[in-house]
């Protein structure tokens, strides 16, 4: 009897199963579908696992990276206040209508904003407007005064002819009455036909103009604002009255420039729970500011603080919203340092913790280093 051997059949089944299983699809070089991790080049800027940044020398020159050596020192402590550009009361003024009326152009027309004017120059006229009843009363009063003046003139003429028989005091009384009626009639006539001239209170430029030919304005309405750009002032609000007692100086950051300010004084009454402080600047940079423009004022106090002075542009934020600076630890490696800082003058700060003397802090290009991923 012939015996059955299952081994050949089992091997055939295993081979058929292996051939029917799906094989992994392999793409040729340059034909991957984006699921493969990028191959590091090792030559470009990159963020390291420890948070530092590898930045080759060519990339540093391209990004314009500059560093400064940290040096510990004692600096004047400062605090930042919100300020506003205001006019000097001696070099600026407001032109308001004294009477209600209709605007008319001045000898040179209605001035526009930015136009230079001189003190005493007529900017516009206000022609008083009166109601129908008021104007009728003025016309009736004018007619009565005219009739009374004519009677007084005839009386003076008669008394003058009888000067030999009439006392001199009667003639003088009649002449005085005639003069009074003439003056009253002229005043009433001037009130009907006169116009009020709006003149520039100081020499400067027109800061604001709210005038159109034929416009009807009310009494005390602001028509023009004249200001001298070279004599602007800064008004800052201090919500801590104790800050006004320790002001040693102040600076203003304008277009990246440090403009020194001179402290004029502090108010003795609160405004919106704050104490106004007045500053004046001698720099022509204040002339580029607009009236009412908000600014940041950095006030130096009499207290001092120990720290490292670095530009304010060196301070950045990390993903945890902490204040950091980038320190150059090796020729091509920058590491972030969490620091605490206090403002000094608007363009620089004093780092009180997080830096050691001798550290090279990135001052230019620090924002670009912070963006390397």
């Amino acid at each position: 009897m012939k015996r059955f051997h299952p081994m050949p059949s089992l091997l055939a089944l295993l081979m058929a199963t292996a051939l029917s299983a799906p094989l992994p699809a392999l793409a040729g070089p340059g034909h991957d579908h984006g699921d493969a991790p990028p191959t590091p080049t090792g030559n470009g800027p990159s963020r390291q696992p420890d948070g530092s940044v590898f930045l080759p020398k060519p990339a540093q020159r391209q990004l314009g990276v500059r560093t400064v050596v940290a040096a510990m020192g004692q600096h004047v402590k400062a605090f930042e206040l919100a300020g506003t550009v205001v006019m000097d009361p001696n070099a600026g003024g407001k032109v308001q209508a004294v009477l209600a009326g209709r605007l008319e152009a001045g000898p040179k027309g209605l001035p526009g904003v930015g136009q230079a004017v001189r003190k005493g120059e007529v900017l516009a006229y206000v022609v008083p407007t009166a109601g129908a009843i008021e104007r009728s009363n003025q016309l009736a009063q004018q007619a009565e005064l005219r009739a009374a003046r004519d009677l007084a003139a005839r009386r003076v003429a008669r008394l003058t002819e009888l000067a030999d028989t009439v006392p001199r005091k009667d003639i003088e009384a009649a002449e005085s009455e005639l003069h009074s009626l003439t003056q009253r009639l002229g005043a009433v006539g001037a009130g009907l036909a006169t116009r009020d001239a709006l003149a520039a209170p100081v020499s400067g430029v027109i800061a604001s103009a709210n005038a159109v030919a034929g416009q009807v304005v009310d009494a005390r309405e602001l028509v023009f604002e004249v200001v001298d750009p070279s004599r602007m002032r800064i008004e800052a609000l201090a919500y801590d009255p104790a800050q006004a007692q320790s002001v040693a100086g102040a600076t203003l950051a304008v277009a990246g420039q440090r403009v020194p300010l001179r402290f004029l004084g502090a108010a003795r009454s609160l405004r919106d729970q704050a104490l106004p402080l007045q500053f004046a600047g001698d720099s022509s940079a204040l002339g580029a500011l607009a009236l009412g423009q908000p600014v940041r004022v950095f006030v130096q106090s009499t207290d001092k603080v120990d720290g490292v002075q670095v530009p304010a542009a060196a301070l950045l934020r990390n993903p945890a919203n902490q204040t950091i600076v980038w320190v150059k630890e090796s020729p091509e490696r920058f590491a972030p340092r969490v620091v605490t800082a206090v403002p000094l003058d608007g363009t620089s700060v004093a780092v009180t913790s997080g830096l050691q003397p001798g550290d090279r802090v990135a001052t230019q290009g620090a924002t670009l280093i912070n963006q390397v991923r």
Side-chain angles (χ1 to χ4, degrees):
M1 183 177 179
K2 193 174 181 179
R3 183 173 294 178
F4 177 74
H5 297 281
M7 287 300 295
S9 300
L10 181 59
L11 290 175
L13 181 60
L14 292 176
M15 291 177 65
T17 303
L19 291 175
S20 62
L23 296 177
L26 299 177
H31 295 279
D32 62 273
H33 299 282
D35 50 358
T39 303
T41 60
N43 296 325
S46 62
R47 183 67 65 100
Q48 303 300 310
D50 59 352
S52 61
V53 170
F54 172 73
L55 197 63
K57 285 294 184 180
Q60 294 182 31
R61 288 189 290 268
Q62 185 178 7
L63 299 180
V65 177
R66 297 293 183 271
T67 60
V68 64
V69 179
M72 189 67 64
Q74 198 174 51
H75 310 281
V76 177
K77 192 175 182 181
F79 50 89
E80 181 180 347
L81 298 178
T84 308
V85 181
V86 297
M87 69 171 63
D88 187 343
N90 299 314
K94 298 182 178 182
V95 181
Q96 296 175 280
V98 180
L99 305 173
R102 179 172 46 84
L103 283 181
E104 288 185 357
K108 299 181 180 179
L110 292 175
V113 292
Q115 181 176 337
V117 295
R118 294 183 176 274
K119 182 178 181 180
E121 181 179 343
V122 177
L123 307 179
Y125 293 103
V126 177
V127 179
T129 56
I133 297 178
E134 184 179 355
R135 186 173 181 82
S136 299
N137 293 336
Q138 290 178 342
L139 291 174
Q141 184 180 5
Q142 189 179 25
E144 292 177 1
L145 292 173
R146 187 179 294 110
R149 184 196 62 180
D150 294 341
L151 290 175
R154 287 195 293 269
R155 184 167 181 267
V156 168
R158 288 194 304 269
L159 292 177
T160 303
E161 293 177 356
L162 302 174
D164 296 338
T165 58
V166 176
R168 183 62 185 173
K169 63 177 182 179
D170 293 342
I171 299 176
E172 292 178 353
E175 291 177 348
S176 177
E177 183 181 0
L178 176 60
H179 181 72
S180 175
L181 290 172
T182 303
Q183 295 293 328
R184 291 172 61 187
L185 182 61
V188 173
L192 290 172
T194 190
R195 54 183 183 176
D196 183 28
L198 301 181
V202 295
S203 298
V205 298
I206 302 294
S208 65
N210 306 309
V212 180
Q215 176 184 353
V216 178
V217 296
D218 295 329
R220 303 176 62 182
E221 183 174 344
L222 180 63
V223 183
F224 298 103
E225 244 180 334
V226 183
V227 64
D228 187 356
S230 62
R231 296 176 61 183
M232 304 290 279
R233 288 187 179 182
I234 306 296
E235 182 180 78
L237 298 179
Y239 288 90
D240 185 4
Q243 293 177 340
Q245 309 301 325
S246 60
V247 176
T251 56
L252 180 69
V254 178
Q257 298 180 0
R258 179 176 173 269
V259 179
L261 298 177
R262 186 174 66 258
F263 180 60
L264 298 179
R268 290 297 179 264
S269 62
L270 295 178
R271 181 199 306 166
D272 297 332
Q273 305 301 320
L275 196 64
L277 307 179
Q278 284 275 345
F279 299 91
D282 298 328
S283 175
S284 59
L286 293 181
L289 301 178
L291 196 64
Q293 178 179 343
V295 293
R296 295 186 305 163
V297 181
F298 296 87
V299 181
Q300 287 85 31
S301 66
T302 54
D303 302 331
K304 295 185 179 295
V305 60
D306 294 330
V308 178
Q309 182 175 354
V310 297
L315 298 183
L316 299 170
R317 295 283 182 176
N318 62 5
N321 202 29
Q322 294 174 312
T323 304
I324 64 170
V325 296
W326 287 95
V327 177
K328 190 175 185 179
E329 294 187 343
S330 64
E332 296 183 340
R333 182 173 177 272
F334 292 83
R337 296 276 184 87
V338 178
V339 297
T340 58
V342 294
L344 291 180
D345 54 9
T347 59
S348 59
V349 297
V351 177
T352 57
S353 65
L355 288 179
Q356 299 296 329
D359 290 341
R360 302 190 67 88
V361 181
T363 57
Q364 296 184 18
T367 305
L368 300 177
I369 298 175
N370 200 42
Q371 296 175 2
V372 175
R373 295 292 181 265

